[in-house]
Amino acid sequence: MADIISNGEAKLENETRQRFINEYLQDKTDKYDSRDVERLQKDDALAGCYLQWRLQNVDDALKMIDESFQWRKEFRVNDLTECSIPRWMFETGAVYLHGYDKEGNKLFWFKVKLHVKDAKTVVDKKRYVAFWLERYAKREPGMPLTVVFDMTDSGLSNIDMDFVKYIINCFKVYYPKFLSKMILYEMPWIMSAAWRIVKTWLGPEAISKLKFVGKNEVQEYIDAEHLPTHMGGTDTFKYSYPPLPDDDFQTPMCENGPIVSEDETESKEDAESESKDTLDSSQNEEQIKKSKKVTHLAECTLSVRGGQSSAPTS
């Protein structure tokens, strides 16, 4: 029976790929990023995700792939790096990944009180969310996220329906099968009407993932060790930047993101060497860290140069 199901899924995946080429790609090679098209042809899991999210309906899956790939090219998702995002976006601490829910899914935090609607920065904010999602997708392919909207001390000035709709679309279209659940913590009653509108944007499969909680209910989904103290938890983590949360490197900043200066690199290496003289593995660890920093510097340099020659417009 399992073999029959597997064969049936493989057949639908192949049909999806072939029809995408025949119906969407002909004479439209500039419509998508070629890297996404190539991945679709090679990655069974990617084609399978779109099909599963659209209940194995090939027509619906193709429309979803088309919309998703166009968005990825518009936002240059494949080229998003830490250096391509304005520094102030990271410094706000409004969006970040940290901790896990009870099912082992990574937590994607949105600190709603730190978000203020501003048409001038909306594109940067959307690219910032895309950066985090793409970064996680590459690190943990196939692993879902739990989104936490922390609405503590938030109010009407923090409501941005266009931005919320964009976040919904990220999980509904751009990253299928990526959402484990969406937890809304301490939603003020004044926002109730807005979230009734949000529900109309969600499909039936996504509505069931919404969890409205307060301090008494949140630990049904997240253990105290992964909750901040204001939610009744014991996690003393305080967001700061740099580095990114859960990263193993610390670097000074350039105008649009972190780079490694020669002086900083040398001072770090000296300090690390002194503190690890007694460890047999010190040389291997130092070599790995150097490699990461050099790679990061190269990526940032290329990104900044690319941004200067083709800066995005909002």
Side-chain angles (χ1 to χ4, degrees):
M1 184 66 178
D3 290 339
I4 294 175
I5 295 174
S6 179
N7 290 336
E9 290 176 348
K11 184 177 179 180
L12 286 175
E13 289 167 5
N14 290 332
E15 179 186 347
T16 300
R17 291 189 179 103
Q18 192 58 50
R19 284 186 57 186
F20 182 76
I21 293 174
N22 295 339
E23 300 174 20
Y24 288 85
L25 205 57
Q26 294 295 332
D27 302 322
K28 297 178 182 178
T29 54
D30 62 339
K31 188 178 181 181
Y32 314 111
D33 187 320
S34 60
R35 290 168 288 184
D36 292 325
V37 176
E38 181 179 358
R39 184 182 166 213
L40 180 67
Q41 298 305 313
K42 294 181 177 180
D43 190 345
D44 291 339
L46 180 62
C49 278
Y50 285 109
L51 282 165
Q52 290 173 36
W53 195 241
R54 303 317 303 162
L55 304 177
Q56 306 301 325
N57 185 305
V58 175
D59 289 333
D60 289 347
L62 286 169
K63 292 175 183 177
M64 191 175 179
I65 292 170
D66 174 56
E67 183 178 350
S68 176
F69 280 15
Q70 287 189 66
W71 167 78
R72 290 180 65 84
K73 182 170 184 179
E74 177 187 355
F75 280 78
R76 298 203 295 273
V77 174
N78 286 313
D79 297 315
L80 285 177
T81 66
E82 193 173 344
C83 297
S84 64
I85 305 295
R87 171 179 174 173
W88 69 268
M89 293 294 302
F90 291 102
E91 292 178 335
T92 62
V95 179
Y96 58 87
L97 290 164
H98 176 70
Y100 299 87
D101 68 8
K102 285 190 171 183
E103 297 174 331
N105 302 309
K106 194 76 172 179
L107 298 177
F108 192 23
W109 293 87
F110 286 81
K111 297 289 187 178
V112 178
K113 72 175 182 179
L114 299 178
H115 178 83
V116 178
K117 186 174 182 179
D118 183 354
K120 294 180 180 179
T121 61
V122 66
V123 173
D124 281 335
K125 289 176 180 176
K126 289 180 177 180
R127 294 180 77 244
Y128 184 47
V129 171
F131 163 81
W132 281 109
L133 290 173
E134 188 69 8
R135 181 172 180 270
Y136 181 73
K138 290 177 178 177
R139 288 190 168 198
E140 301 289 345
M143 297 297 293
L145 283 169
T146 289
V147 175
V148 182
F149 282 99
D150 181 3
M151 297 187 175
T152 304
D153 298 328
S154 62
L156 285 176
S157 63
N158 306 118
I159 295 179
D160 185 344
M161 298 303 286
D162 176 67
F163 187 62
V164 171
K165 190 171 186 177
Y166 169 77
I167 295 170
I168 296 296
N169 272 343
C170 281
F171 293 101
K172 186 179 178 182
V173 180
Y174 310 145
Y175 292 90
K177 301 288 290 180
F178 218 60
L179 181 64
S180 169
K181 64 186 71 70
M182 187 176 288
I183 297 174
L184 294 92
Y185 179 80
E186 296 286 8
M187 185 181 72
W189 66 268
I190 202 167
M191 291 187 179
S192 299
W195 278 96
R196 280 197 292 270
I197 296 174
V198 171
K199 283 187 176 182
T200 66
W201 299 336
L202 298 167
E205 67 282 344
I207 288 179
S208 63
K209 298 177 184 291
L210 285 178
K211 312 296 179 184
F212 295 86
V213 302
K215 186 178 289 188
N216 294 330
E217 300 85 21
V218 67
Q219 290 194 37
E220 294 178 19
Y221 306 103
I222 306 171
D223 286 326
E225 64 180 303
H226 294 299
L227 286 172
T229 53
H230 74 272
M231 288 186 175
T234 59
D235 186 5
T236 57
F237 168 81
K238 299 293 184 184
Y239 179 89
S240 64
Y241 179 80
L244 294 172
D246 302 328
D247 259 359
D248 58 357
F249 64 89
Q250 294 191 25
T251 58
M253 303 298 300
C254 67
E255 182 177 355
N256 290 315
I259 60 171
V260 181
S261 67
E262 292 182 0
D263 292 340
E264 182 74 5
T265 302
E266 289 174 1
S267 65
K268 283 180 181 289
E269 289 172 355
D270 291 342
E272 288 168 354
S273 178
E274 291 175 3
S275 65
K276 296 179 181 177
D277 282 342
T278 59
L279 297 177
D280 294 335
S281 61
S282 61
Q283 293 181 347
N284 289 335
E285 293 175 358
E286 192 70 14
Q287 186 174 0
I288 291 172
K289 288 189 176 184
K290 286 181 181 179
S291 176
K292 285 184 178 180
K293 290 176 181 178
V294 170
T295 300
H296 189 68
L297 172 58
E299 290 177 351
C300 287
T301 302
L302 290 173
S303 176
V304 170
R305 288 176 179 173
Q308 290 173 344
S309 61
S310 58
T313 58
S314 58

